[in-house]
Amino acid sequence: QVQLVESGGGLVQAGGSLRVSCGAPGRTFRLSAMGWFRQAPGKEREFVAAIDWSGADTNYADSVKGRFTISRDNDKNTVYLRMNSLKPEDTAVYYCAVADSSRIQTIPGAYKYWGQGTQVTVSS
């Protein structure tokens, strides 16, 4: 069983920034697309951002476009999500995931490994 580990969540004021990271100690996913999803209380898990295996192609949910940036460092086996201009509605548990493909995927069913999640809370 692959264990993805997220870090970097926390509490931030509206308008602030956070960067969350995700890696799998001892494992490499350099040939897999990766993504970030989030789930707020009482809501379904939703797509946030995804990046292809090389880092050359990215995709974002409309709600975060222009504010969030996904990136990856294949040498460090780590994927990042930089979140700027945070809003209270961004409050959620953020999950990283490894896709069952080298190309960008936007639906949860296309991902085979998931992290435990990291809480991001944005206060107004």
Side-chain angles (χ1 to χ4, degrees):
Q1 183 70 20
V2 175
Q3 187 73 29
L4 295 176
V5 180
E6 299 105 334
S7 62
L11 173 64
V12 64
Q13 288 189 329
S17 299
L18 278 176
R19 188 182 76 164
V20 291
S21 305
C22 172
R27 294 292 300 267
T28 178
F29 299 109
R30 61 179 62 236
L31 297 181
S32 299
M34 298 190 72
W36 287 95
F37 291 75
R38 67 186 182 187
Q39 188 166 18
K43 295 187 177 182
E44 293 188 354
R45 189 169 298 189
E46 66 173 358
F47 170 75
V48 175
I51 189 166
D52 76 343
W53 72 277
S54 70
D57 193 18
T58 58
N59 188 282
Y60 297 92
D62 288 343
S63 59
V64 307
K65 203 170 293 184
R67 300 187 298 122
F68 290 13
T69 303
I70 188 171
S71 61
R72 67 189 297 164
D73 184 336
N74 283 341
D75 290 335
K76 295 181 178 179
N77 299 320
T78 302
V79 64
Y80 306 96
L81 184 68
R82 176 70 179 182
M83 302 179 285
N84 295 329
S85 302
L86 282 160
K87 305 174 181 180
E89 51 263 44
D90 294 318
T91 295
V93 177
Y94 283 71
Y95 299 89
C96 75
V98 179
D100 194 14
S101 171
S102 61
R103 297 183 178 183
I104 284 176
Q105 308 293 326
T106 61
I107 60 173
Y111 287 79
K112 57 183 177 180
Y113 302 124
W114 292 83
Q116 296 295 318
T118 184
Q119 176 70 46
V120 172
T121 302
V122 185
S123 63
S124 58

